[in-house]
Amino acid sequence: VRYLLRKAVLFVVTLWAAITLNFALPRLMPGSPVDAALGKLASAGVPITNAERNAIEVELGVPHASWFVQYGDYLRNIATFKFGTSYSFPSQTVAQTIRTALPWTLVLVGVTTIVAFVIGTLLGVYAGWRRGTRADESVTIGATFFGAFPPFWLGLLLLYLLAFKYNWFPIKGGYNPGTSPNWSPSFLGDAAKHSVLPAVTLAITLLSGWVFGMRNNMINTLGEDYITFAEANGLRARTIALLYAARNALLPNITAFGLSLGGVVGGSVLVEGVYSYPGLGNLLYIAVTNHDFPLMQALFLVYTVSMVVAIFVVDLLYVRLDPRVRQ
Amino acid sequence: MTLRFAGRALATLWSNGKARIGLVVITMIVVIAVFAPLIAPHSPTATSFPPYRNPDSVNWFGTTGNGQDVFSQVIYGTRISLLVCLASGAMATVVAVTLGLIAGYRPGLVDELLSFVNNLVLVIPGIPLMIILAAYVQAHSVWTIVLVVGFTSWATGARVIRSQASTLRTREFVTSAVFSGERLPRVVFREILPNMTSLVAGSFIAAATAAVLAEASLEFLGLGSPATVSWGTILYAAQQQNALLTGQWVLILTPGLAIVLLMTSFTLINFGVDALSNPKLREKS
């Protein structure tokens, strides 16, 4: 319970720090985002009135009030999901834009992480168990090579080969244009077809981390006395590998699971951008190309908060899996 | 003394099969970067060719929409890409070593605080953070990328170095150095630091590898310097000119392959470095 309490306190403090960082970042940066936004409007030929300037300043958080007041307003806006309007999607509030995009990214990132984790861990167990053999060498070198693929680059190549050239998969988007998201089987099938390429791209580039982590853990565990004891008892090699070594080698990999999400999220930004997949990553891609600071800031907040929450959940799971930390 | 040490470290790395491949590839890349003007047949920026040419005997990788020779661009791009990854890797390592040593050597409040900051940075997704930072900094130059990548990728290294420093702190040789009246900087830099050279090298290589990817990602988003030629900006230009629609897949394939080669060789070398610090991982010969 002490452990849980400590984790919970740490979770709250981290959450607060992440939210505050999100507040501080645009205010610490050289050059004001407000000027950039106004410049953008001016270059588009929009006349800027005083009222308009004021509206933009309040939105991006550089009014003439003190930081203290600004911070209070900021927290209140977060609690009520008020993130203002973005220039990329002027007809919606930022909160609405994010809400429609969130499920797409959750499903894509969730599924690919789990698939990569399972396949990568199994390959790692195999490589660690057959260490020093040809099989181990080819798994490690293969994983090194594929792990070095920039996700967006692999995305572009697969897009060219499988979508442009052979038309096996749709070129862009998350569903057919003309349909709107619903739960009918035909729409779900269509969405699944659209998400195959982004998912495969992400999964391939993510594999290597799990392979290396698991291989190293396996090698460390295989040196333990209880493995030697199991061997001396004449247990079958497969039993030892899976039930004795892999189960214990898995634990450190589960801690890594939470932190690895950061990498998945990062990769998903550009991959979603490449495929115009209707998720958060694509929004960030659009926001960056349009210098859309309100949208960018809100997306960053969503990313950090979900990471903090995800890692907290993994910590809780860890307590259930490893009795040693419960003491 | 240092030279002999470096020689021995290199020899140990060389004895590891994977690290050997990595060393060979990285040497090739460095040679290409240094002798780029001799290797590249044309200027990387001159717009002297017909645009959108497919690969032929004159333009081995084809030309861009502005009529630049892509082969020469990839060769010259090696310089910037290598420079950025080494510089930001070095910067991340300096931050990681400094914070890691302080946290590991000063248990209590200082350690708690630094570890908290460390965990916070570890939790924040790196690429989105870099994108936001780079987007706010209006002036896009190579050094913006170096600063952004360097200041965001130290967390993993700092954590490893912290835990190593805190175990070394209680060892006898450190205690005896403290009792014999050596001052704090000397204890930290002469007694503790040399005992984790392989960890420092490991975190440098890891940071540099991550920097290659981060640089390419930022530049692909158009956050790089438009004036310089690097692998990431070639990819950005290709995407802007719809290279895939026009069938110019070579423009995408070649700079990306260069990135993959550089990152692979770093990772392979890191296998050798890992084996230095963890004897269990050494290859049986």
Side-chain angles (χ1 to χ4, degrees), chain B residues 182-191:
Chain B
E182 285 184 11
R183 274 178 304 154
L184 184 67
R186 198 184 148 81
V187 173
V188 171
F189 288 107
R190 301 301 306 237
E191 306 287 344

PDB file of all heavy atoms in Angstrom, chain B residues 182-191:
ATOM      1  N   GLU B 182      40.911  13.985  -0.955  1.00  0.00           N
ATOM      2  CA  GLU B 182      40.752  14.507  -2.300  1.00  0.00           C
ATOM      3  C   GLU B 182      39.480  15.338  -2.387  1.00  0.00           C
ATOM      4  O   GLU B 182      38.474  15.039  -1.744  1.00  0.00           O
ATOM      5  CB  GLU B 182      40.699  13.348  -3.301  1.00  0.00           C
ATOM      6  CG  GLU B 182      42.069  12.757  -3.534  1.00  0.00           C
ATOM      7  CD  GLU B 182      42.021  11.670  -4.588  1.00  0.00           C
ATOM      8  OE1 GLU B 182      40.990  11.535  -5.246  1.00  0.00           O
ATOM      9  OE2 GLU B 182      43.027  10.969  -4.737  1.00  0.00           O
ATOM     10  N   ARG B 183      39.548  16.368  -3.214  1.00  0.00           N
ATOM     11  CA  ARG B 183      38.394  17.243  -3.306  1.00  0.00           C
ATOM     12  C   ARG B 183      37.316  16.636  -4.205  1.00  0.00           C
ATOM     13  O   ARG B 183      37.607  15.784  -5.045  1.00  0.00           O
ATOM     14  CB  ARG B 183      38.815  18.624  -3.803  1.00  0.00           C
ATOM     15  CG  ARG B 183      39.284  19.502  -2.631  1.00  0.00           C
ATOM     16  CD  ARG B 183      39.744  20.843  -3.119  1.00  0.00           C
ATOM     17  NE  ARG B 183      40.796  20.686  -4.129  1.00  0.00           N
ATOM     18  CZ  ARG B 183      41.039  21.584  -5.068  1.00  0.00           C
ATOM     19  NH1 ARG B 183      40.307  22.651  -5.152  1.00  0.00           N
ATOM     20  NH2 ARG B 183      42.024  21.393  -5.921  1.00  0.00           N
ATOM     21  N   LEU B 184      36.096  17.132  -4.039  1.00  0.00           N
ATOM     22  CA  LEU B 184      34.938  16.539  -4.718  1.00  0.00           C
ATOM     23  C   LEU B 184      35.098  16.403  -6.235  1.00  0.00           C
ATOM     24  O   LEU B 184      34.881  15.323  -6.786  1.00  0.00           O
ATOM     25  CB  LEU B 184      33.680  17.342  -4.368  1.00  0.00           C
ATOM     26  CG  LEU B 184      32.386  16.767  -4.942  1.00  0.00           C
ATOM     27  CD1 LEU B 184      32.059  15.444  -4.293  1.00  0.00           C
ATOM     28  CD2 LEU B 184      31.242  17.735  -4.763  1.00  0.00           C
ATOM     29  N   PRO B 185      35.503  17.475  -6.934  1.00  0.00           N
ATOM     30  CA  PRO B 185      35.625  17.325  -8.401  1.00  0.00           C
ATOM     31  C   PRO B 185      36.586  16.212  -8.772  1.00  0.00           C
ATOM     32  O   PRO B 185      36.348  15.448  -9.721  1.00  0.00           O
ATOM     33  CB  PRO B 185      36.159  18.690  -8.850  1.00  0.00           C
ATOM     34  CG  PRO B 185      35.842  19.627  -7.750  1.00  0.00           C
ATOM     35  CD  PRO B 185      35.836  18.826  -6.498  1.00  0.00           C
ATOM     36  N   ARG B 186      37.687  16.103  -8.010  1.00  0.00           N
ATOM     37  CA  ARG B 186      38.670  15.088  -8.329  1.00  0.00           C
ATOM     38  C   ARG B 186      38.091  13.695  -8.106  1.00  0.00           C
ATOM     39  O   ARG B 186      38.281  12.779  -8.913  1.00  0.00           O
ATOM     40  CB  ARG B 186      39.930  15.287  -7.483  1.00  0.00           C
ATOM     41  CG  ARG B 186      41.120  14.557  -8.061  1.00  0.00           C
ATOM     42  CD  ARG B 186      42.358  14.635  -7.206  1.00  0.00           C
ATOM     43  NE  ARG B 186      43.114  13.395  -7.380  1.00  0.00           N
ATOM     44  CZ  ARG B 186      43.914  13.177  -8.398  1.00  0.00           C
ATOM     45  NH1 ARG B 186      44.090  14.109  -9.315  1.00  0.00           N
ATOM     46  NH2 ARG B 186      44.549  12.031  -8.523  1.00  0.00           N
ATOM     47  N   VAL B 187      37.369  13.534  -6.997  1.00  0.00           N
ATOM     48  CA  VAL B 187      36.760  12.237  -6.726  1.00  0.00           C
ATOM     49  C   VAL B 187      35.797  11.869  -7.859  1.00  0.00           C
ATOM     50  O   VAL B 187      35.834  10.769  -8.402  1.00  0.00           O
ATOM     51  CB  VAL B 187      35.991  12.271  -5.380  1.00  0.00           C
ATOM     52  CG1 VAL B 187      35.226  10.971  -5.178  1.00  0.00           C
ATOM     53  CG2 VAL B 187      36.953  12.504  -4.242  1.00  0.00           C
ATOM     54  N   VAL B 188      34.959  12.830  -8.243  1.00  0.00           N
ATOM     55  CA  VAL B 188      33.940  12.533  -9.244  1.00  0.00           C
ATOM     56  C   VAL B 188      34.569  12.288 -10.614  1.00  0.00           C
ATOM     57  O   VAL B 188      34.236  11.324 -11.299  1.00  0.00           O
ATOM     58  CB  VAL B 188      32.895  13.672  -9.300  1.00  0.00           C
ATOM     59  CG1 VAL B 188      31.974  13.488 -10.480  1.00  0.00           C
ATOM     60  CG2 VAL B 188      32.096  13.709  -8.022  1.00  0.00           C
ATOM     61  N   PHE B 189      35.510  13.150 -11.001  1.00  0.00           N
ATOM     62  CA  PHE B 189      36.024  13.048 -12.369  1.00  0.00           C
ATOM     63  C   PHE B 189      37.174  12.055 -12.512  1.00  0.00           C
ATOM     64  O   PHE B 189      37.336  11.463 -13.568  1.00  0.00           O
ATOM     65  CB  PHE B 189      36.442  14.429 -12.878  1.00  0.00           C
ATOM     66  CG  PHE B 189      35.269  15.311 -13.168  1.00  0.00           C
ATOM     67  CD1 PHE B 189      34.960  16.378 -12.340  1.00  0.00           C
ATOM     68  CD2 PHE B 189      34.432  15.047 -14.243  1.00  0.00           C
ATOM     69  CE1 PHE B 189      33.863  17.173 -12.590  1.00  0.00           C
ATOM     70  CE2 PHE B 189      33.333  15.830 -14.500  1.00  0.00           C
ATOM     71  CZ  PHE B 189      33.043  16.895 -13.672  1.00  0.00           C
ATOM     72  N   ARG B 190      37.991  11.862 -11.453  1.00  0.00           N
ATOM     73  CA  ARG B 190      39.134  10.971 -11.596  1.00  0.00           C
ATOM     74  C   ARG B 190      38.862   9.576 -11.067  1.00  0.00           C
ATOM     75  O   ARG B 190      39.482   8.613 -11.485  1.00  0.00           O
ATOM     76  CB  ARG B 190      40.382  11.557 -10.901  1.00  0.00           C
ATOM     77  CG  ARG B 190      40.823  12.910 -11.405  1.00  0.00           C
ATOM     78  CD  ARG B 190      41.141  12.863 -12.881  1.00  0.00           C
ATOM     79  NE  ARG B 190      42.108  11.835 -13.221  1.00  0.00           N
ATOM     80  CZ  ARG B 190      43.248  12.082 -13.834  1.00  0.00           C
ATOM     81  NH1 ARG B 190      43.573  13.323 -14.147  1.00  0.00           N
ATOM     82  NH2 ARG B 190      44.067  11.098 -14.146  1.00  0.00           N
ATOM     83  N   GLU B 191      37.944   9.474 -10.089  1.00  0.00           N
ATOM     84  CA  GLU B 191      37.711   8.159  -9.503  1.00  0.00           C
ATOM     85  C   GLU B 191      36.453   7.504 -10.066  1.00  0.00           C
ATOM     86  O   GLU B 191      36.453   6.335 -10.416  1.00  0.00           O
ATOM     87  CB  GLU B 191      37.578   8.266  -7.969  1.00  0.00           C
ATOM     88  CG  GLU B 191      38.741   8.955  -7.279  1.00  0.00           C
ATOM     89  CD  GLU B 191      39.991   8.088  -7.253  1.00  0.00           C
ATOM     90  OE1 GLU B 191      39.885   6.873  -7.486  1.00  0.00           O
ATOM     91  OE2 GLU B 191      41.095   8.646  -7.033  1.00  0.00           O
TER      92      GLU B 191
END
